[in-house]
Amino acid sequence: MTEAPASAVLNDGNDHTKKSKKRRREDILKDAVGNGDFGGSKPSKEERREAKRLKKLGEEPGAGPETDEVLQLNGNVGEVEKAAANGDQSESKLSKEARKEARRLKKLAKEQENGHAVAEQLPSNNSVNGIDKASDKATLKAEKARLKAEKKSAKTENTDGGSQPNSTKGTFDSGSGYVEDRVLAALPQSEIDDFLSTNFITISDPTSSTNLRPITQFSHLPTHHTTSPSPFTAFKSPTPIQSAAWPFLLSGRDVIGVAETGSGKTLAFGVPCIRSITSSSRTRGSPARAVIVSPTRELAAQIHTQMETLASPAHLSTVCVYGGVPKDPQRLALKTAHIIVATPGRLNDLINEGSADLSNVNYVVLDEADRMLDKGFEEEIRKIIATTPTKGRQTLMFTATWPPSVRDLASTFMKTPVHISIGADNPTGELRANTKITQLVEVVDPRQKETRLLQLLKQHQGAGAKKNDRILVFCLYKKEAARIESFLSARGMKAAGIHGDMSQDKRTASLSAFKTGTCPLLVATDVAARGLDIPAVKAVINVTFPLTVEDYVHRIGRTGRAGADGLAITLFTEHDKAQSGALINVLRAAGQEIPEELLRFGTTVKKKGHEAYGAFYKGPGVGGKKEGTKIKFD
Ligand SMILES: Nc1ncnc2c1ncn2[C@@H]1O[C@H](COP(=O)(O)OP(=O)(O)OP(=O)(O)O)[C@@H](O)[C@H]1O
């Protein structure tokens, strides 16, 4: 079972007690709503926020065309006021809400009359009138939805004692160049709140300088004209992490984005990357404007492919830089590339020899950020970031797991980052597996693992229609992976392998055979645990438990992607018992069954002495200290 829904939260770090600020806000409020018709009482926090939002809306310079929207808005004011005029108890709440909304709409209508633009960027291939009609229609639709939502929210208030989700008010960040789309800006606040709470979106902004509405539709993106043909045609709407992260990223903010595996984080950081480059005015020096770092070669290649589809319509070029392949083509491509996707080791090599120059890079992404910040990579990351400018640089960290051990280190690279996390009852981004994955754990005798694996493969990939179903088998060690691959091949199963002892060519060939379905069984080490987006992996089988429960969450995340269901089966032995408590917590958080035999190993989560060593922590050494063993995948 999933956890109970949590309200969406936008932490407001403002000091609301300061007198001068308070006075200023009240002045703004007066400006925004006339002479403060709040029924004689002091405006609520909500009302003040809304007024502030409207005020900002009015201040935004622009040349928005005058449209029928004004009439429409006025019409809606009447409708709202009519609704507000009704008198029974359940409608008195509505009437307060409706009055508030009426004031908001009146103000908006007035601003439209005064010629203030609400939207900044419009698709270049549309005529202004076409856009106006479309947005008018959308506004009308939004208004209808708003009235419906008002009724619903009034109803809820009457049944739950008046509790409200915390609000995220839409607004503009005039300094950044990002302006909310007019349709998005016109959406009723209740709809935005609803979106945040139903998608379990938690936004924590230490500055509170921007209260940005989530981009709930691709059409609300200011960049879509730069990426035509649209990269979104296959998708209905942005995923929650995309919706929530885009406005902040488009505003130039640093962001930590924590969202479950397979939830579209690549586009979450990829789309604003294009916008960041196209809006930059720098023309001198190195062409590189963005760098995206990932822990494995295969993941770097995958991100690169996705970035290419975004970049080429905007006439930007990209390069993928990783080890195990010749440097020359990479050196050449670096001369013109605007976006560098890289694994850290090879990128540092190329920086050191002078082939890569990051001095103009102002968009830095650490994908699988917790992995990039653990001891295996920390030093490499420091070196890379040190060659980028401090001023004007946007730093992004995206991951599905965000252990406390890396959080302090992350903050040393970032400027007041906005923290966005997606997940039920998970405002601090604690460890969560994707809830679309069914997790089965079998406690077995270590000597029976291979026999049990064979049985499971026959059961889930047997003959007939199931024989081509993709199954990913994880081992802990390279030698173990090689042995299991041979074991399966010797029993007539078509298996490929991927691990660090193989040449890059062979790794690439195995992955490609698995992706295309030529070989439906892949035996891997944790080199394939993170980020890989392989279509329709039916099941993940863990033959040996990984070294950390974070790695477990990433491994099983290769199935159940982009909203699909998945299956993960884990063979757990007494050798893994130190991890039982942490695994139980992950199972519990995702509402999964916890086997009695697993509970017998204990529920205590052992506090690790060196959490920063992440997946490669092997226990304390002499004197409680252990040297970091640098194990790299590239
Ligand atoms: N808005 C969207 N709607 C539906 N599918 C989407 C959307 N955006 C991206 N996807 C698809 O979702 C899949 C997973 O995306 P992606 O690989 O970016 O996930 P992720 O969150 O980075 O996962 P991981 O944590 O495993 O790295 C991809 O196949 C991608 O094409």
Side-chain angles (χ1 to χ4, degrees):
M1 301 301 285
T2 48
E3 303 275 336
S7 291
V9 178
L10 187 129
N11 292 349
D12 183 348
N14 280 344
D15 178 3
H16 292 286
T17 60
K18 283 185 185 158
K19 266 194 173 170
S20 58
K21 270 193 182 175
K22 193 175 158 199
R23 201 166 295 141
R24 217 184 86 230
R25 267 201 316 276
E26 281 172 2
D27 289 342
I28 290 170
L29 181 70
K30 268 187 207 154
D31 280 352
V33 296
N35 279 328
D37 178 16
F38 291 102
S41 66
K42 221 174 138 196
S44 73
K45 194 176 160 192
E46 282 300 288
E47 287 163 335
R48 287 200 305 270
R49 268 209 209 157
E50 183 64 0
K52 201 173 166 189
R53 188 174 94 78
L54 288 170
K55 173 73 179 168
K56 279 194 179 178
L57 200 94
E59 283 170 356
E60 201 59 39
E66 200 172 286
T67 71
D68 292 346
E69 195 171 356
V70 173
L71 294 175
Q72 230 167 40
L73 289 171
N74 282 332
N76 282 322
V77 171
E79 227 178 313
V80 173
E81 281 171 344
K82 226 188 279 167
N86 292 326
D88 71 15
Q89 213 217 340
S90 72
E91 279 163 346
S92 67
K93 291 258 184 203
L94 169 65
S95 127
K96 191 183 164 206
E97 286 298 306
R99 278 204 310 272
K100 205 165 88 184
E101 190 60 19
R103 283 195 299 274
R104 190 175 88 80
L105 291 170
K106 226 176 208 169
K107 178 72 189 167
L108 195 61
K110 205 170 161 202
E111 283 161 356
Q112 296 284 318
E113 269 174 345
N114 290 340
H116 290 301
V118 182
E120 180 207 35
Q121 301 254 0
L122 298 170
S124 56
N125 57 347
N126 274 341
S127 75
V128 168
N129 282 342
I131 293 159
D132 290 340
K133 272 187 194 144
S135 59
D136 288 347
K137 217 169 158 189
T139 309
L140 187 62
K141 206 169 151 202
E143 284 309 310
K144 278 187 181 156
R146 181 190 57 73
L147 282 171
K148 208 169 147 198
E150 294 288 2
K151 272 187 193 155
K152 200 172 135 202
S153 103
K155 223 180 202 173
T156 316
E157 281 175 29
N158 284 320
T159 50
D160 71 1
S163 71
Q164 284 270 333
N166 292 326
S167 287
T168 305
K169 299 287 186 185
T171 187
F172 297 138
D173 180 2
S174 50
S176 70
Y178 167 66
V179 178
E180 264 171 10
D181 175 78
R182 73 165 76 185
V183 178
L184 176 60
L187 286 179
Q189 187 57 37
S190 57
E191 204 172 296
I192 297 295
D193 291 340
D194 220 33
F195 178 84
L196 291 168
S197 59
T198 51
N199 289 294
F200 307 108
I201 298 172
T202 306
I203 301 169
S204 179
D205 179 359
T207 70
S208 273
S209 58
T210 44
N211 289 336
L212 298 170
R213 293 186 152 194
I215 291 178
T216 53
Q217 298 298 329
F218 292 121
S219 57
H220 299 159
L221 267 173
T223 48
H224 56 295
H225 67 295
T226 63
T227 54
S228 175
S230 168
F232 311 121
T233 42
F235 311 136
K236 212 171 114 231
S237 55
T239 63
I241 186 68
Q242 292 164 358
S243 299
W246 280 341
F248 290 97
L249 290 174
L250 292 166
S251 300
R253 295 291 304 276
D254 285 5
V255 166
I256 297 169
V258 184
E260 64 187 18
T261 51
S263 60
K265 293 187 286 293
T266 316
L267 284 181
F269 61 71
V271 169
C273 174
I274 305 299
R275 158 83 167 189
S276 158
I277 300 171
T278 53
S279 60
S280 156
S281 55
R282 284 189 202 201
T283 49
R284 287 165 172 225
S286 164
R289 296 284 184 277
V291 66
I292 300 166
V293 191
S294 105
T296 67
R297 299 168 186 175
E298 287 76 12
L299 181 54
Q302 178 185 299
I303 296 169
H304 177 248
T305 307
Q306 237 177 325
M307 290 311 298
E308 250 184 335
T309 45
L310 296 174
S312 56
H315 309 291
L316 298 174
S317 61
T318 61
V319 59
C320 192
V321 158
Y322 57 74
V325 292
K327 283 182 183 165
D328 270 347
Q330 298 176 356
R331 288 187 183 112
L332 192 67
L334 278 165
K335 290 187 199 297
T336 52
H338 300 99
I339 301 169
I340 303 173
V341 185
T343 53
R346 175 60 65 90
L347 180 56
N348 270 320
D349 277 359
L350 293 166
I351 291 172
N352 291 340
E353 66 170 43
S355 303
D357 176 358
L358 308 190
S359 58
N360 273 336
V361 162
N362 51 22
Y363 196 88
V364 175
V365 183
L366 301 191
D367 192 24
E368 308 297 340
D370 53 329
R371 177 73 189 93
M372 303 312 307
L373 294 170
D374 79 26
K375 283 291 173 202
F377 282 120
E378 182 196 334
E379 215 31 57
E380 300 274 22
I381 294 300
R382 276 190 194 287
K383 285 186 204 157
I384 292 168
I385 294 185
T387 69
T388 64
T390 317
K391 200 165 164 250
R393 184 190 75 220
Q394 232 181 317
T395 312
L396 288 62
M397 310 233 171
F398 279 80
T399 181
T401 53
W402 194 233
S405 55
V406 298
R407 296 180 192 177
D408 286 346
L409 178 57
S411 65
T412 64
F413 298 117
M414 307 182 87
K415 284 186 283 289
T416 53
V418 180
H419 190 117
I420 298 169
S421 79
I422 315 292
D425 194 20
N426 193 18
T428 54
E430 294 303 334
L431 189 61
R432 289 285 189 277
N434 179 341
T435 48
K436 298 286 282 184
I437 304 167
T438 302
Q439 302 176 57
L440 305 176
V441 177
E442 296 185 11
V443 176
V444 298
D445 182 315
R447 289 162 302 184
Q448 287 168 357
K449 284 206 284 195
E450 285 166 20
T451 319
R452 184 62 190 139
L453 172 64
L454 260 187
Q455 287 170 347
L456 288 170
L457 289 175
K458 284 191 178 139
Q459 181 186 339
H460 293 282
Q461 202 189 44
K466 290 196 289 187
K467 86 175 180 341
N468 288 325
D469 286 352
R470 287 188 193 88
I471 297 189
L472 183 50
V473 174
F474 276 107
C475 299
L476 184 54
Y477 303 104
K478 293 181 267 192
K479 295 227 165 353
E480 182 193 20
R483 183 172 51 77
I484 294 285
E485 186 195 338
S486 310
F487 168 79
L488 295 174
S489 301
R491 275 148 193 84
M493 309 204 75
K494 225 172 161 190
I498 185 166
H499 55 76
D501 277 348
M502 295 166 64
S503 71
Q504 188 52 42
D505 280 354
K506 283 198 175 143
R507 275 165 65 158
T508 308
S510 289
L511 189 59
S512 149
F514 187 57
K515 275 187 175 174
T516 55
T518 323
C519 186
L521 190 54
L522 185 67
V523 183
T525 56
D526 285 298
V527 72
R530 284 182 179 252
L532 295 187
D533 187 50
I534 302 160
V537 172
K538 182 186 177 190
V540 165
I541 302 179
N542 290 312
V543 172
T544 301
F545 200 78
L547 288 173
T548 69
V549 80
E550 281 84 10
D551 291 343
Y552 167 80
V553 167
H554 287 279
R555 277 185 182 184
I556 69 169
R558 296 319 98 209
T559 179
R561 298 179 70 75
D565 290 329
L567 172 67
I569 304 167
T570 299
L571 304 182
F572 198 90
T573 75
E574 60 181 349
H575 301 316
D576 313 310
K577 67 181 178 193
Q579 311 259 32
S580 62
L583 175 60
I584 287 166
N585 282 349
V586 169
L587 293 171
R588 194 168 279 143
Q592 303 291 308
E593 208 170 295
I594 304 166
E596 207 40 54
E597 300 90 315
L598 183 64
L599 284 166
R600 265 189 234 126
F601 284 131
T603 54
T604 318
V605 178
K606 306 226 170 12
K607 181 121 183 69
K608 288 178 228 148
H610 299 273
E611 270 193 318
Y613 286 80
F616 304 102
Y617 174 65
K618 293 222 166 55
V622 182
K625 286 200 169 174
K626 183 174 187 316
E627 283 304 306
T629 318
K630 193 167 156 186
I631 302 177
K632 292 195 299 178
F633 290 129
D634 60 329

